[in-house]
Amino acid sequence: MIVFVIFIHNNIFFINLGTGTVVLDIPPYVSHIKYLVSDIIARIAVPLFFLISGYLLYLKENTFFQILTKKTKTIAVPYLVWTSLAILLFALGQHLTFTKAFFANPQNNITNFDILDYIDAVVGRFTVRSPYPLVYQFWFLRDLILLNFSAIIFKKIIDKFPIAFLFLAIFFWIVDYNLYLYSAESMLFFVLGYYIHKYNLTTDKIDSIQYFDILLLYAITICIELFCPQYRQIIHKINIIIGAVLAIKLSLVFVLKERIFNVLSQLSAYAFFVYAMHEPLLTVLRKISIKIMPTYGIYVLIQYFMVAFVCIAICLVVGVVLRKSVPKLYEFLSGGRA
């Protein structure tokens, strides 16, 4: 899912440099491939993260104080630490002559920040300037923190009005009606974690689905989303559901294959670190890539995959080095995930 998140963030059409904006010349076939990977297949990542987070939280009967204590350590502290590091990195990068081109961004010019800008850099949604924090991907953590703090309220409402609340949450998600505190998507899939726990739903029915059936259905709905944009709003939601079901079904294969499971288990220790570090590294790598590669045709597709995998590799290397050399620091940066 972390890999998918990086591909979502790597699907761009222009790159801002200190000297101006470079618009990529993207052929239709490259555009379709990028849309397929970043805007269809990879879009299951965030809903599944919220679903798993909600399910794991509701497995235990936590009090509000227990949730507050645990999530402050695992989410809030690394959130503030990484945001502070990003502000320092941008300030330094925008100040030094030889790095200005790679950190130039009119919306994030640290030297011109006022108090509201710094608040915006941390929380994003609660100001009028941007819905996202400075560390762009941390909107997920921000929503997750607020959802965790609302978990007990959700539980009480769902216990009293289970069907009505579910239909309302699905409706908000379909029409993209985002709530003030968190997005409709994050709320829906987070509370679905409680429904799974509440009604003791298992993966037996998902495991019983034939691969041919789900892959054929997925291929059809993907083609509709790719080539019939008039149906894109609703079919996109359907593809998220189908893709998530397929991912859960595939996870059984990963569990049963001992070698794959062992590799994924080892890599899982770096999931949060890769997630936290990949931006603005991903942005910098894109700016470097257009200095050494053409910005048209097949080169755009090569750059798309190359930059994402180089970013992942760098994050993993840094994470491995930190974890082995200064484990306490790594644990602190990862919210206790060692």
Side-chain angles (χ1 to χ4, degrees):
M1 299 300 105
I2 291 294
V3 172
F4 282 170
V5 166
I6 292 174
F7 273 100
I8 291 172
H9 295 165
N10 198 37
N11 187 21
I12 47 89
F13 304 94
F14 59 88
I15 299 174
N16 290 318
L17 297 172
T19 54
T21 300
V22 176
V23 179
L24 304 178
D25 182 9
I26 307 176
Y29 75 92
V30 173
S31 179
H32 285 319
I33 293 173
K34 292 177 66 178
Y35 188 91
L36 170 65
V37 176
S38 291
D39 290 322
I40 299 180
I41 296 175
R43 288 291 172 175
I44 68 172
V46 172
L48 277 177
F49 274 135
F50 281 115
L51 177 71
I52 295 168
S53 297
Y55 176 70
L56 294 177
L57 177 75
Y58 286 113
L59 276 179
K60 298 180 179 180
E61 294 291 335
N62 293 302
T63 65
F64 178 79
F65 180 76
Q66 289 171 325
I67 294 173
L68 177 64
T69 303
K70 183 177 180 181
K71 299 307 175 182
T72 297
K73 177 184 177 182
T74 59
I75 303 177
V77 170
Y79 184 103
L80 294 174
V81 170
W82 281 97
T83 300
S84 300
L85 290 174
I87 291 174
L88 290 173
L89 178 63
F90 268 93
L92 182 62
Q94 291 169 358
H95 178 74
L96 299 175
T97 304
F98 63 92
T99 58
K100 280 184 178 180
F102 302 109
F103 287 89
N105 190 329
Q107 295 178 333
N108 291 323
N109 192 339
I110 307 297
T111 56
N112 297 329
F113 267 22
D114 56 24
I115 295 298
L116 189 58
D117 287 312
Y118 281 108
I119 297 173
D120 186 62
V122 176
V123 296
R125 179 179 293 277
F126 305 109
T127 69
V128 296
R129 306 191 182 195
S130 172
Y132 302 108
L134 178 63
V135 184
Y136 167 79
Q137 69 272 25
F138 275 11
W139 74 266
F140 166 79
L141 292 184
R142 178 199 60 203
D143 279 26
L144 189 59
I145 293 170
L146 295 170
L147 286 165
N148 274 276
F149 293 167
S150 308
I152 295 175
I153 298 174
F154 286 138
K155 182 179 183 298
K156 291 182 181 297
I157 296 174
I158 293 170
D159 286 343
K160 196 166 186 178
F161 309 103
I163 297 177
F165 187 85
L166 180 60
F167 272 97
L168 185 65
I170 292 173
F171 174 76
F172 284 159
W173 179 54
I174 290 174
V175 300
D176 290 322
Y177 181 80
N178 290 328
L179 307 173
Y180 183 70
L181 290 179
Y182 21 67
S183 70
E185 181 173 80
S186 62
M187 184 189 75
L188 169 63
F189 284 92
F190 184 83
V191 299
L192 281 178
Y194 178 57
Y195 280 95
I196 293 172
H197 170 65
K198 177 180 174 66
Y199 295 104
N200 196 28
L201 303 178
T202 67
T203 57
D204 292 347
K205 291 187 178 180
I206 291 179
D207 293 336
S208 66
I209 299 173
Q210 297 298 312
Y211 276 110
F212 177 82
D213 296 338
I214 191 170
L215 288 173
L216 177 61
L217 177 62
Y218 201 28
I220 293 171
T221 53
I222 283 175
C223 288
I224 295 173
E225 182 170 352
L226 277 173
F227 303 111
C228 303
Q230 66 270 30
Y231 305 116
R232 188 163 286 173
Q233 181 175 2
I234 185 64
I235 203 69
H236 180 69
K237 309 295 186 183
I238 294 172
N239 275 327
I240 288 176
I241 299 298
I242 298 173
V245 170
L246 179 58
I248 293 170
K249 181 174 176 60
L250 285 171
S251 69
L252 178 62
V253 178
F254 300 151
V255 170
L256 295 178
K257 299 290 185 181
E258 186 176 351
R259 289 185 178 180
I260 296 177
F261 181 76
N262 289 337
V263 171
L264 292 176
S265 296
Q266 293 173 12
L267 288 175
S268 68
Y270 304 100
F272 183 90
F273 188 85
V274 173
Y275 161 75
M277 182 181 170
H278 82 270
E279 281 285 4
L281 175 62
L282 190 64
T283 300
V284 173
L285 288 174
R286 281 198 298 263
K287 294 180 180 183
I288 293 174
S289 71
I290 67 169
K291 296 288 187 178
I292 59 178
M293 291 181 65
T295 58
Y296 57 85
I298 189 66
Y299 296 105
V300 177
L301 187 62
I302 294 172
Q303 179 205 59
Y304 169 71
F305 285 103
M306 182 188 71
V307 167
F309 285 119
V310 169
C311 179
I312 294 168
I314 292 174
C315 291
L316 282 174
V317 169
V318 174
V320 169
V321 171
L322 277 178
R323 190 179 181 214
K324 290 186 176 181
S325 57
V326 277
K328 291 295 183 182
L329 175 61
Y330 179 83
E331 184 177 352
F332 177 69
L333 292 173
S334 300
R337 301 168 182 86

